[in-house]
Amino acid sequence: MKPLAIALVAVLMAAGCSTPRRDKITVACSASEQWCAMMVKRFSDATGVEADFVRLSSGEALDRIKAASARQEFDVWHGGEAASYVAAKSQGLLEPYKSEKSGEIRRGWADKENAWSGVYVGVLAFCNNTKELAKRGMKPIRSWRELLDERLRGGVAIAHPATSGTAYAGLWTQMELNGRNQDAALGYLRSLHPNVLRYNTAGAAAAVQAAKGEAAVGVVFSHDCVTAQEQGYPNLQVTFPQEGTGYELGGLAVLAGAHNPESARKYVDWALSGASQRLGPLVKFYALPTNAGVPAHSKAVDLTTVKLVSYDVEVAGRAKQSLVDRFSAEIARPPA
């Protein structure tokens, strides 16, 4: 056989024996580490698609997705408050997809143009360490006004709105309570600043700080405080602000520039399904499901007992950048 023919045969054999590209996706996950790990594993078990995740707070995820938009490292974004998804949509970072499961999602809990969908709901609450509060001569906090009490100097655990969806929900709650007046909302947070222990990167960290007695009270989503209670911290008590409180609609989206868009869409279908949304309690994640066919867990918040502010996710998302920039410039820089 001639040398050229031998070389051609070798190339063809190598091509035929090459390993096919693995069916794999990478998820930017903005909920708890345990929940993220369970979700990608259960998805892989159900579909055969290999999946891994990187845990990022919603603000961190948005920044990283934006920075990598030309060579996107993620296929899907899962979890984290929907205002960040609204911001991502406006920047062309999401790939619209109408899932076969979209009809099962409760009305109003998804983007009208199918850029993202809600997968869970969490309500902002106070995670009180009753023992630490008693040391300060205080009872569990039940209003935003009480959170400004001088006895709470350095005793309030909270995250920074540049990195945390929880914290941005708190900021937007103040916007709604103050007629969407930025000066008034930031004025409240400026008054709160002396009482803040430090600004965390992730919202759920405040529940851990309250649980361990590092802080007297944490501003978190109620299900994060319930999770801490179940981890063996009996001094914790969940309360809700009597003036009204905001909530998080946890999002889900296929990312523009995904390396494996077909499997990314499979992930969205699975994550919106009733089977997926029943899994949270297995890792002590008690947020409310958005799939209408899945009942709320007994340890989830009862929305009929809580006063909610009007929370327009679209308006909150469009205002996010300017509000966060002002907070960072006028009150506290983001955590390093």
Side-chain angles (χ1 to χ4, degrees):
M1 188 179 290
K2 294 181 179 181
L4 181 59
I6 293 173
L8 180 58
V9 170
V11 170
L12 291 173
M13 289 180 64
C17 296
S18 63
T19 302
R21 186 181 183 278
R22 290 184 302 170
D23 191 5
K24 179 180 180 179
I25 61 169
T26 301
V27 178
C29 193
S30 299
S32 73
E33 189 92 17
Q34 295 84 356
W35 184 83
C36 295
M38 177 183 66
M39 286 293 162
V40 296
K41 183 180 185 305
R42 291 298 186 105
F43 167 73
S44 293
D45 291 345
T47 65
V49 178
E50 186 179 349
D52 60 13
F53 75 96
V54 178
R55 200 282 163 192
L56 298 164
S57 295
S58 57
E60 294 177 306
L62 178 57
D63 286 344
R64 191 151 156 182
I65 290 165
K66 181 179 179 181
S69 58
R71 293 175 57 85
Q72 190 52 254
E73 59 182 313
F74 304 113
D75 299 279
V76 176
W77 188 6
H78 195 186
E81 48 89 25
S84 292
Y85 287 72
V86 173
K89 176 187 173 183
S90 71
Q91 297 171 47
L93 301 175
L94 307 183
E95 186 68 38
Y97 171 56
K98 185 173 182 179
S99 169
E100 62 185 27
K101 299 292 184 181
S102 60
E104 300 177 16
I105 303 305
R106 297 178 193 276
R107 191 172 181 178
W109 285 1
D111 179 58
K112 295 177 181 178
E113 297 176 336
N114 302 307
W116 56 268
S117 181
V119 284
Y120 61 78
V121 172
V123 178
L124 205 62
F126 301 135
C127 188
N128 300 274
N129 185 314
T130 56
K131 184 177 180 180
E132 293 301 318
L133 283 168
K135 292 178 182 178
R136 297 170 184 254
M138 303 182 72
K139 296 180 179 180
I141 307 302
R142 298 183 182 277
S143 77
W144 295 108
R145 177 178 41 80
E146 288 180 56
L147 211 61
L148 303 180
D149 194 303
E150 291 185 355
R151 290 174 291 179
L152 283 174
R153 285 289 185 265
V156 177
I158 195 169
H160 195 287
T163 58
S164 163
T166 308
Y168 186 69
L171 173 49
W172 190 256
T173 297
Q174 295 307 317
M175 284 285 288
E176 293 291 357
L177 291 174
N178 288 280
R180 296 188 182 173
N181 182 305
Q182 285 196 11
D183 292 335
L186 291 168
Y188 170 83
L189 293 168
R190 191 176 293 108
S191 297
L192 177 63
H193 179 71
N195 288 2
V196 174
L197 173 64
R198 62 177 174 270
Y199 292 98
N200 302 314
T201 299
V208 177
Q209 289 167 322
K212 294 182 176 180
E214 297 171 15
V217 59
V219 181
V220 297
F221 292 119
S222 62
H223 57 263
D224 289 325
C225 193
V226 174
T227 297
Q229 287 174 325
E230 293 213 330
Q231 290 172 343
Y233 294 96
N235 296 319
L236 295 181
Q237 181 178 337
V238 178
T239 56
F240 297 94
Q242 61 188 16
E243 303 98 324
T245 192
Y247 59 91
E248 167 192 46
L249 179 58
L252 172 70
V254 176
L255 292 172
H259 294 288
N260 195 343
E262 182 179 351
S263 290
R265 290 189 284 270
K266 286 182 183 178
Y267 186 94
V268 169
D269 293 339
W270 178 83
L272 294 179
S273 70
S276 169
Q277 294 199 17
R278 285 182 172 86
L279 296 174
L282 296 180
V283 288
K284 305 183 188 305
F285 184 80
Y286 299 112
L288 294 166
T290 59
N291 187 301
V294 180
H297 192 274
S298 60
K299 293 182 179 179
V301 59
D302 181 354
L303 294 181
T304 65
T305 66
V306 179
K307 183 179 180 180
L308 299 176
V309 300
S310 175
Y311 201 112
D312 189 318
V313 173
E314 292 288 335
V315 175
R318 290 194 296 269
K320 183 171 184 176
Q321 191 63 57
S322 64
L323 271 172
V324 168
D325 286 348
R326 283 196 63 183
F327 184 95
S328 299
E330 299 174 22
I331 299 175
R333 298 183 60 160

